[in-house]
Amino acid sequence: MRNNRYGNLGRSLATGDVNGDGFPDLAAGGEDLDIDTNYRSQGLVMLADMSTLSPNPNAVEQFPEAWRIYGDYNYSDFAVSIDLDDVDGDNLADLLIGDFEGLFNDQAMGTIHIFNGSTITNNWGVGYDATGDPRDTILPNPNVNQNDDFGLSV
């Protein structure tokens, strides 16, 4: 029996300016996180608005969460890898989330989920939960082979 509600959170990290305020934002991801007392597990990505942190290097602060998303199904490897990079050229960092056992058309094959920075910014706010929101893009494994680890790294 495990007791690591967010024990894997932070296994994957990325920085980039998602909301266009000139400050880098922090994305923390992790797969297979216990989300309830029944030990169901899902992946999770949390984005933090780093502009809200104190400039005091000795300050101890809570993670300034501004946006989160859970994986689509239990026992997934959603968020095993994440990246923040401007892939659509709008000068906002986009969130790329790897899931090497991700479902596409109800088939496990590995996927990469992309949320455009503009989509995230439109819903930016303390504790916004994007679970269930449509992704801007889902890239399925072009080989339709669930054993080649597509999505393990983005």
Side-chain angles (χ1 to χ4, degrees):
M1 183 174 356
R2 298 182 314 207
N3 186 15
N4 68 334
R5 174 129 192 213
Y6 295 120
N8 291 338
L9 186 63
R11 190 173 277 189
S12 53
L13 298 169
T15 60
D17 188 5
V18 176
N19 59 1
D21 65 359
F23 292 93
D25 303 304
L26 174 67
E31 81 288 357
D32 196 27
L33 302 168
D34 293 336
I35 60 168
D36 61 25
T37 56
N38 294 321
Y39 299 101
R40 289 184 307 131
S41 59
Q42 291 178 310
L44 168 67
V45 176
M46 295 171 69
L47 279 169
D49 184 354
M50 301 307 284
S51 68
T52 64
L53 292 180
S54 167
N56 178 353
N58 297 319
V60 177
E61 302 181 46
Q62 289 189 347
F63 190 80
E65 181 186 353
W67 192 87
R68 77 168 49 198
I69 184 161
Y70 288 95
D72 294 326
Y73 60 96
N74 294 329
Y75 308 109
S76 75
D77 286 305
F78 182 84
V80 67
S81 61
I82 60 174
D83 192 18
L84 287 171
D85 197 8
D86 183 12
V87 297
D88 61 4
D90 67 354
N91 295 318
L92 296 174
D94 306 307
L95 175 63
L96 291 80
I97 304 171
D99 183 353
F100 73 91
E101 293 180 344
L103 295 176
F104 187 77
N105 292 334
D106 295 323
Q107 182 177 358
M109 64 175 64
T111 54
I112 296 172
H113 302 255
I114 301 174
F115 286 88
N116 294 342
S118 58
T119 300
I120 294 170
T121 301
N122 289 338
N123 296 304
W124 192 260
V126 176
Y128 180 78
D129 187 346
T131 305
D133 287 0
R135 278 70 169 150
D136 292 302
T137 306
I138 298 178
L139 302 175
N141 186 341
N143 298 321
V144 191
N145 179 354
Q146 68 183 34
N147 297 318
D148 68 0
D149 294 338
F150 183 84
L152 184 61
S153 180
V154 293

